[in-house]
PDB file of all heavy atoms in Angstrom:
ATOM      1  N   ASN P 257     -29.765  13.468 -27.637  1.00 86.00           N
ATOM      2  CA  ASN P 257     -30.557  14.428 -26.819  1.00 86.00           C
ATOM      3  C   ASN P 257     -29.731  15.253 -25.876  1.00 86.00           C
ATOM      4  O   ASN P 257     -30.321  15.840 -24.955  1.00 86.00           O
ATOM      5  CB  ASN P 257     -31.625  13.587 -26.061  1.00 86.00           C
ATOM      6  CG  ASN P 257     -30.949  12.393 -25.288  1.00 86.00           C
ATOM      7  OD1 ASN P 257     -29.781  12.383 -25.204  1.00 86.00           O
ATOM      8  ND2 ASN P 257     -31.808  11.524 -24.730  1.00 86.00           N
ATOM      9  N   LEU P 329     -30.897 -10.975 -16.188  1.00 96.00           N
ATOM     10  CA  LEU P 329     -31.992 -11.616 -15.754  1.00 96.00           C
ATOM     11  C   LEU P 329     -31.907 -12.389 -14.442  1.00 96.00           C
ATOM     12  O   LEU P 329     -32.822 -12.641 -13.766  1.00 96.00           O
ATOM     13  CB  LEU P 329     -32.584 -12.572 -16.822  1.00 96.00           C
ATOM     14  CG  LEU P 329     -33.018 -11.884 -18.186  1.00 96.00           C
ATOM     15  CD1 LEU P 329     -33.172 -12.892 -19.204  1.00 96.00           C
ATOM     16  CD2 LEU P 329     -34.295 -11.074 -17.956  1.00 96.00           C
ATOM     17  N   VAL P 361     -33.814  -8.582 -24.953  1.00 98.00           N
ATOM     18  CA  VAL P 361     -34.871  -8.673 -23.981  1.00 98.00           C
ATOM     19  C   VAL P 361     -35.040  -7.252 -23.339  1.00 98.00           C
ATOM     20  O   VAL P 361     -34.108  -6.628 -22.989  1.00 98.00           O
ATOM     21  CB  VAL P 361     -34.412  -9.610 -22.879  1.00 98.00           C
ATOM     22  CG1 VAL P 361     -35.553  -9.674 -21.730  1.00 98.00           C
ATOM     23  CG2 VAL P 361     -34.073 -10.980 -23.366  1.00 98.00           C
ATOM     24  N   GLY P 362     -36.346  -6.846 -23.235  1.00 98.00           N
ATOM     25  CA  GLY P 362     -36.662  -5.523 -22.587  1.00 98.00           C
ATOM     26  C   GLY P 362     -37.491  -4.615 -23.482  1.00 98.00           C
ATOM     27  O   GLY P 362     -37.604  -4.965 -24.717  1.00 98.00           O
ATOM     28  N   GLY P 363     -38.217  -3.715 -22.960  1.00 97.00           N
ATOM     29  CA  GLY P 363     -39.035  -2.793 -23.655  1.00 97.00           C
ATOM     30  C   GLY P 363     -38.853  -1.345 -23.427  1.00 97.00           C
ATOM     31  O   GLY P 363     -39.733  -0.531 -23.752  1.00 97.00           O
ATOM     32  N   GLY P 364     -37.687  -1.068 -22.733  1.00 95.00           N
ATOM     33  CA  GLY P 364     -37.483   0.367 -22.509  1.00 95.00           C
ATOM     34  C   GLY P 364     -36.572   1.002 -23.555  1.00 95.00           C
ATOM     35  O   GLY P 364     -36.355   0.413 -24.667  1.00 95.00           O
ATOM     36  N   ASP P 365     -36.168   2.212 -23.353  1.00 91.00           N
ATOM     37  CA  ASP P 365     -35.338   2.965 -24.364  1.00 91.00           C
ATOM     38  C   ASP P 365     -33.963   2.172 -24.636  1.00 91.00           C
ATOM     39  O   ASP P 365     -33.525   2.184 -25.777  1.00 91.00           O
ATOM     40  CB  ASP P 365     -34.992   4.367 -23.900  1.00 91.00           C
ATOM     41  CG  ASP P 365     -36.105   5.266 -24.067  1.00 91.00           C
ATOM     42  OD1 ASP P 365     -36.858   5.121 -25.018  1.00 91.00           O
ATOM     43  OD2 ASP P 365     -36.286   6.220 -23.241  1.00 91.00           O
ATOM     44  N   THR P 366     -33.479   1.625 -23.621  1.00 90.00           N
ATOM     45  CA  THR P 366     -32.211   0.872 -23.878  1.00 90.00           C
ATOM     46  C   THR P 366     -32.450  -0.312 -24.860  1.00 90.00           C
ATOM     47  O   THR P 366     -31.635  -0.500 -25.803  1.00 90.00           O
ATOM     48  CB  THR P 366     -31.544   0.306 -22.579  1.00 90.00           C
ATOM     49  OG1 THR P 366     -31.370   1.457 -21.655  1.00 90.00           O
ATOM     50  CG2 THR P 366     -30.260  -0.378 -22.760  1.00 90.00           C
ATOM     51  N   ALA P 367     -33.541  -1.046 -24.592  1.00 96.00           N
ATOM     52  CA  ALA P 367     -33.782  -2.214 -25.460  1.00 96.00           C
ATOM     53  C   ALA P 367     -33.989  -1.787 -26.834  1.00 96.00           C
ATOM     54  O   ALA P 367     -33.475  -2.411 -27.814  1.00 96.00           O
ATOM     55  CB  ALA P 367     -35.021  -2.927 -24.878  1.00 96.00           C
ATOM     56  N   GLU P 369     -32.901   0.974 -28.341  1.00 92.00           N
ATOM     57  CA  GLU P 369     -31.642   1.318 -28.844  1.00 92.00           C
ATOM     58  C   GLU P 369     -30.721   0.231 -29.303  1.00 92.00           C
ATOM     59  O   GLU P 369     -30.194   0.181 -30.398  1.00 92.00           O
ATOM     60  CB  GLU P 369     -30.904   2.230 -27.794  1.00 92.00           C
ATOM     61  CG  GLU P 369     -29.972   3.224 -28.375  1.00 92.00           C
ATOM     62  CD  GLU P 369     -29.329   4.031 -27.264  1.00 92.00           C
ATOM     63  OE1 GLU P 369     -28.631   3.507 -26.333  1.00 92.00           O
ATOM     64  OE2 GLU P 369     -29.570   5.211 -27.315  1.00 92.00           O
ATOM     65  N   ARG P 386     -41.896  -8.282 -21.957  1.00 98.00           N
ATOM     66  CA  ARG P 386     -42.796  -9.109 -21.057  1.00 98.00           C
ATOM     67  C   ARG P 386     -44.221  -8.493 -20.933  1.00 98.00           C
ATOM     68  O   ARG P 386     -45.110  -9.201 -20.577  1.00 98.00           O
ATOM     69  CB  ARG P 386     -42.173  -9.295 -19.695  1.00 98.00           C
ATOM     70  CG  ARG P 386     -42.002  -8.032 -18.899  1.00 98.00           C
ATOM     71  CD  ARG P 386     -41.334  -8.288 -17.522  1.00 98.00           C
ATOM     72  NE  ARG P 386     -41.136  -7.103 -16.837  1.00 98.00           N
ATOM     73  CZ  ARG P 386     -40.474  -7.126 -15.672  1.00 98.00           C
ATOM     74  NH1 ARG P 386     -40.123  -8.187 -15.093  1.00 98.00           N
ATOM     75  NH2 ARG P 386     -40.243  -5.953 -15.058  1.00 98.00           N
ATOM     76  N   LYS P 387     -44.361  -7.229 -21.180  1.00 98.00           N
ATOM     77  CA  LYS P 387     -45.717  -6.603 -21.158  1.00 98.00           C
ATOM     78  C   LYS P 387     -46.302  -6.593 -22.545  1.00 98.00           C
ATOM     79  O   LYS P 387     -45.689  -6.949 -23.502  1.00 98.00           O
ATOM     80  CB  LYS P 387     -45.571  -5.225 -20.514  1.00 98.00           C
ATOM     81  CG  LYS P 387     -45.134  -5.220 -19.089  1.00 98.00           C
ATOM     82  CD  LYS P 387     -45.965  -4.158 -18.146  1.00 98.00           C
ATOM     83  CE  LYS P 387     -45.585  -4.349 -16.753  1.00 98.00           C
ATOM     84  NZ  LYS P 387     -44.723  -3.261 -16.268  1.00 98.00           N
ATOM     85  N   TYR P 389     -46.857  -3.722 -24.060  1.00 97.00           N
ATOM     86  CA  TYR P 389     -46.520  -2.413 -24.636  1.00 97.00           C
ATOM     87  C   TYR P 389     -44.999  -2.192 -24.334  1.00 97.00           C
ATOM     88  O   TYR P 389     -44.398  -2.808 -23.451  1.00 97.00           O
ATOM     89  CB  TYR P 389     -47.408  -1.322 -23.967  1.00 97.00           C
ATOM     90  CG  TYR P 389     -47.103  -1.195 -22.489  1.00 97.00           C
ATOM     91  CD1 TYR P 389     -46.162  -0.384 -21.937  1.00 97.00           C
ATOM     92  CD2 TYR P 389     -47.874  -1.939 -21.528  1.00 97.00           C
ATOM     93  CE1 TYR P 389     -45.900  -0.249 -20.536  1.00 97.00           C
ATOM     94  CE2 TYR P 389     -47.731  -1.797 -20.147  1.00 97.00           C
ATOM     95  CZ  TYR P 389     -46.748  -0.938 -19.710  1.00 97.00           C
ATOM     96  OH  TYR P 389     -46.485  -0.867 -18.352  1.00 97.00           O
ATOM     97  N   ARG P 391     -42.145   0.328 -22.955  1.00 95.00           N
ATOM     98  CA  ARG P 391     -41.972   1.469 -22.093  1.00 95.00           C
ATOM     99  C   ARG P 391     -41.202   2.590 -22.687  1.00 95.00           C
ATOM    100  O   ARG P 391     -41.172   3.722 -22.184  1.00 95.00           O
ATOM    101  CB  ARG P 391     -41.316   0.923 -20.814  1.00 95.00           C
ATOM    102  CG  ARG P 391     -41.444   1.870 -19.604  1.00 95.00           C
ATOM    103  CD  ARG P 391     -40.395   1.517 -18.575  1.00 95.00           C
ATOM    104  NE  ARG P 391     -40.771   0.364 -17.780  1.00 95.00           N
ATOM    105  CZ  ARG P 391     -40.229   0.247 -16.564  1.00 95.00           C
ATOM    106  NH1 ARG P 391     -39.295   0.987 -16.107  1.00 95.00           N
ATOM    107  NH2 ARG P 391     -40.551  -0.891 -15.870  1.00 95.00           N
ATOM    108  N   MET P 396     -38.574   6.656 -29.796  1.00 94.00           N
ATOM    109  CA  MET P 396     -37.863   5.400 -29.976  1.00 94.00           C
ATOM    110  C   MET P 396     -38.794   4.283 -30.536  1.00 94.00           C
ATOM    111  O   MET P 396     -38.287   3.494 -31.314  1.00 94.00           O
ATOM    112  CB  MET P 396     -37.301   4.940 -28.601  1.00 94.00           C
ATOM    113  CG  MET P 396     -36.243   5.931 -27.976  1.00 94.00           C
ATOM    114  SD  MET P 396     -34.786   6.126 -28.939  1.00 94.00           S
ATOM    115  CE  MET P 396     -33.775   4.843 -28.217  1.00 94.00           C
ATOM    116  N   ALA P 448     -31.480  -6.200 -22.008  1.00 96.00           N
ATOM    117  CA  ALA P 448     -31.452  -4.651 -21.868  1.00 96.00           C
ATOM    118  C   ALA P 448     -32.652  -4.319 -20.960  1.00 96.00           C
ATOM    119  O   ALA P 448     -33.625  -3.773 -21.436  1.00 96.00           O
ATOM    120  CB  ALA P 448     -31.631  -3.965 -23.284  1.00 96.00           C
ATOM    121  N   ILE P 449     -32.566  -4.709 -19.741  1.00 96.00           N
ATOM    122  CA  ILE P 449     -33.737  -4.545 -18.808  1.00 96.00           C
ATOM    123  C   ILE P 449     -33.416  -3.582 -17.674  1.00 96.00           C
ATOM    124  O   ILE P 449     -34.068  -3.578 -16.703  1.00 96.00           O
ATOM    125  CB  ILE P 449     -34.092  -5.852 -18.185  1.00 96.00           C
ATOM    126  CG1 ILE P 449     -32.849  -6.472 -17.410  1.00 96.00           C
ATOM    127  CG2 ILE P 449     -34.534  -6.862 -19.279  1.00 96.00           C
ATOM    128  CD1 ILE P 449     -33.333  -7.674 -16.529  1.00 96.00           C
ATOM    129  N   GLY P 450     -32.541  -2.548 -17.925  1.00 88.00           N
ATOM    130  CA  GLY P 450     -32.340  -1.576 -16.884  1.00 88.00           C
ATOM    131  C   GLY P 450     -31.011  -1.776 -16.224  1.00 88.00           C
ATOM    132  O   GLY P 450     -30.176  -2.507 -16.634  1.00 88.00           O
ATOM    133  N   HIS P 451     -30.829  -1.064 -15.179  1.00 89.00           N
ATOM    134  CA  HIS P 451     -29.474  -0.940 -14.537  1.00 89.00           C
ATOM    135  C   HIS P 451     -29.653  -0.951 -12.986  1.00 89.00           C
ATOM    136  O   HIS P 451     -30.660  -0.705 -12.452  1.00 89.00           O
ATOM    137  CB  HIS P 451     -28.965   0.432 -14.887  1.00 89.00           C
ATOM    138  CG  HIS P 451     -28.683   0.543 -16.372  1.00 89.00           C
ATOM    139  ND1 HIS P 451     -29.593   0.913 -17.296  1.00 89.00           N
ATOM    140  CD2 HIS P 451     -27.532   0.267 -17.103  1.00 89.00           C
ATOM    141  CE1 HIS P 451     -29.157   0.806 -18.560  1.00 89.00           C
ATOM    142  NE2 HIS P 451     -27.815   0.397 -18.449  1.00 89.00           N
ATOM    143  N   ARG P 494     -34.495   7.795 -11.174  1.00 83.00           N
ATOM    144  CA  ARG P 494     -35.577   8.384 -11.970  1.00 83.00           C
ATOM    145  C   ARG P 494     -35.232   8.875 -13.324  1.00 83.00           C
ATOM    146  O   ARG P 494     -35.900   8.465 -14.299  1.00 83.00           O
ATOM    147  CB  ARG P 494     -36.320   9.510 -11.112  1.00 83.00           C
ATOM    148  CG  ARG P 494     -37.494  10.101 -11.713  1.00 83.00           C
ATOM    149  CD  ARG P 494     -38.220  10.790 -10.668  1.00 83.00           C
ATOM    150  NE  ARG P 494     -39.324  11.524 -11.266  1.00 83.00           N
ATOM    151  CZ  ARG P 494     -40.004  12.518 -10.832  1.00 83.00           C
ATOM    152  NH1 ARG P 494     -39.616  12.934  -9.570  1.00 83.00           N
ATOM    153  NH2 ARG P 494     -40.922  13.136 -11.388  1.00 83.00           N
ATOM    154  N   TYR P 495     -34.306   9.741 -13.400  1.00 88.00           N
ATOM    155  CA  TYR P 495     -34.084  10.426 -14.751  1.00 88.00           C
ATOM    156  C   TYR P 495     -32.931   9.666 -15.592  1.00 88.00           C
ATOM    157  O   TYR P 495     -33.200   9.453 -16.701  1.00 88.00           O
ATOM    158  CB  TYR P 495     -33.715  11.918 -14.509  1.00 88.00           C
ATOM    159  CG  TYR P 495     -34.760  12.723 -13.864  1.00 88.00           C
ATOM    160  CD1 TYR P 495     -34.687  13.010 -12.472  1.00 88.00           C
ATOM    161  CD2 TYR P 495     -35.950  12.986 -14.539  1.00 88.00           C
ATOM    162  CE1 TYR P 495     -35.713  13.642 -11.790  1.00 88.00           C
ATOM    163  CE2 TYR P 495     -36.940  13.717 -13.862  1.00 88.00           C
ATOM    164  CZ  TYR P 495     -36.797  14.073 -12.481  1.00 88.00           C
ATOM    165  OH  TYR P 495     -37.772  14.750 -11.856  1.00 88.00           O
ATOM    166  N   ARG P 496     -31.859   9.402 -14.936  1.00 83.00           N
ATOM    167  CA  ARG P 496     -30.734   8.610 -15.550  1.00 83.00           C
ATOM    168  C   ARG P 496     -30.433   9.028 -16.934  1.00 83.00           C
ATOM    169  O   ARG P 496     -30.197   8.232 -17.818  1.00 83.00           O
ATOM    170  CB  ARG P 496     -31.271   7.087 -15.536  1.00 83.00           C
ATOM    171  CG  ARG P 496     -31.337   6.591 -14.144  1.00 83.00           C
ATOM    172  CD  ARG P 496     -31.758   5.177 -14.173  1.00 83.00           C
ATOM    173  NE  ARG P 496     -33.094   4.968 -14.587  1.00 83.00           N
ATOM    174  CZ  ARG P 496     -33.753   3.852 -14.538  1.00 83.00           C
ATOM    175  NH1 ARG P 496     -33.246   2.797 -14.182  1.00 83.00           N
ATOM    176  NH2 ARG P 496     -35.027   3.834 -14.920  1.00 83.00           N
ATOM    177  N   GLN P 497     -30.250  10.304 -17.113  1.00 87.00           N
ATOM    178  CA  GLN P 497     -29.819  10.898 -18.502  1.00 87.00           C
ATOM    179  C   GLN P 497     -28.478  11.469 -18.341  1.00 87.00           C
ATOM    180  O   GLN P 497     -28.035  11.893 -17.234  1.00 87.00           O
ATOM    181  CB  GLN P 497     -30.853  11.955 -18.910  1.00 87.00           C
ATOM    182  CG  GLN P 497     -32.257  11.495 -19.051  1.00 87.00           C
ATOM    183  CD  GLN P 497     -32.435  10.421 -20.054  1.00 87.00           C
ATOM    184  OE1 GLN P 497     -32.085  10.630 -21.224  1.00 87.00           O
ATOM    185  NE2 GLN P 497     -32.807   9.223 -19.607  1.00 87.00           N
TER     186      GLN P 497
HETATM  187  P1  LIG Y 264     -36.161   0.868 -18.135  1.00 89.73           P
HETATM  188  O1  LIG Y 264     -36.277   0.576 -16.657  1.00 89.73           O
HETATM  189  O2  LIG Y 264     -36.790   2.062 -18.742  1.00 89.73           O
HETATM  190  O3  LIG Y 264     -36.790  -0.375 -18.961  1.00 89.73           O
HETATM  191  C1  LIG Y 264     -36.500  -1.704 -18.581  1.00 89.73           C
HETATM  192  C2  LIG Y 264     -37.295  -2.620 -19.478  1.00 89.73           C
HETATM  193  O4  LIG Y 264     -36.863  -3.896 -19.262  1.00 89.73           O
HETATM  194  C3  LIG Y 264     -38.759  -2.591 -19.295  1.00 89.73           C
HETATM  195  O5  LIG Y 264     -39.411  -2.782 -20.588  1.00 89.73           O
HETATM  196  C4  LIG Y 264     -39.084  -3.704 -18.342  1.00 89.73           C
HETATM  197  O6  LIG Y 264     -40.315  -4.219 -18.426  1.00 89.73           O
HETATM  198  C5  LIG Y 264     -37.977  -4.688 -18.828  1.00 89.73           C
HETATM  199  N1  LIG Y 264     -37.604  -5.620 -17.781  1.00 89.73           N
HETATM  200  C6  LIG Y 264     -37.196  -5.390 -16.474  1.00 89.73           C
HETATM  201  N2  LIG Y 264     -36.854  -6.456 -15.821  1.00 89.73           N
HETATM  202  C7  LIG Y 264     -37.211  -7.496 -16.707  1.00 89.73           C
HETATM  203  C8  LIG Y 264     -37.087  -8.871 -16.588  1.00 89.73           C
HETATM  204  N3  LIG Y 264     -36.633  -9.541 -15.501  1.00 89.73           N
HETATM  205  N4  LIG Y 264     -37.434  -9.613 -17.620  1.00 89.73           N
HETATM  206  C9  LIG Y 264     -37.950  -9.142 -18.756  1.00 89.73           C
HETATM  207  N5  LIG Y 264     -38.063  -7.821 -18.985  1.00 89.73           N
HETATM  208  C10 LIG Y 264     -37.656  -6.918 -17.909  1.00 89.73           C
HETATM  209  O7  LIG Y 264     -34.641   0.775 -18.438  1.00 89.73           O
HETATM  210  P2  LIG Y 264     -33.833   1.393 -19.635  1.00 89.73           P
HETATM  211  O8  LIG Y 264     -32.411   0.907 -19.374  1.00 89.73           O
HETATM  212  O9  LIG Y 264     -34.406   1.010 -20.888  1.00 89.73           O
HETATM  213  O10 LIG Y 264     -33.855   3.007 -19.529  1.00 89.73           O
HETATM  214  C11 LIG Y 264     -33.432   3.573 -18.361  1.00 89.73           C
HETATM  215  C12 LIG Y 264     -33.542   5.094 -18.394  1.00 89.73           C
HETATM  216  O11 LIG Y 264     -32.601   5.600 -19.408  1.00 89.73           O
HETATM  217  C13 LIG Y 264     -34.965   5.544 -18.895  1.00 89.73           C
HETATM  218  O12 LIG Y 264     -35.269   6.775 -18.265  1.00 89.73           O
HETATM  219  C14 LIG Y 264     -34.641   5.802 -20.383  1.00 89.73           C
HETATM  220  O13 LIG Y 264     -35.576   6.723 -20.907  1.00 89.73           O
HETATM  221  C15 LIG Y 264     -33.274   6.305 -20.456  1.00 89.73           C
HETATM  222  N6  LIG Y 264     -32.528   6.007 -21.680  1.00 89.73           N
HETATM  223  C16 LIG Y 264     -32.720   6.927 -22.700  1.00 89.73           C
HETATM  224  C17 LIG Y 264     -32.104   6.749 -23.927  1.00 89.73           C
HETATM  225  C18 LIG Y 264     -32.178   7.784 -24.983  1.00 89.73           C
HETATM  226  O14 LIG Y 264     -32.924   8.816 -24.802  1.00 89.73           O
HETATM  227  N7  LIG Y 264     -31.414   7.733 -26.032  1.00 89.73           N
HETATM  228  C19 LIG Y 264     -31.377   5.469 -24.206  1.00 89.73           C
HETATM  229  C20 LIG Y 264     -31.367   4.464 -23.131  1.00 89.73           C
HETATM  230  C21 LIG Y 264     -32.003   4.767 -21.973  1.00 89.73           C
HETATM  231  P3  LIG Y 264     -41.512  -3.668 -17.695  1.00 89.73           P
HETATM  232  O15 LIG Y 264     -41.945  -2.433 -18.444  1.00 89.73           O
HETATM  233  O16 LIG Y 264     -42.478  -4.809 -17.696  1.00 89.73           O
HETATM  234  O17 LIG Y 264     -41.017  -3.342 -16.295  1.00 89.73           O
END
Side-chain angles (χ1 to χ4, degrees):
N257 52 10
L329 297 166
V361 183
D365 280 329
T366 304
E369 203 174 63
R386 67 180 175 183
K387 292 220 174 103
Y389 62 88
R391 196 196 282 197
M396 298 297 269
I449 60 168
H451 296 84
R494 182 161 174 199
Y495 300 106
R496 295 178 291 187
Q497 301 299 302

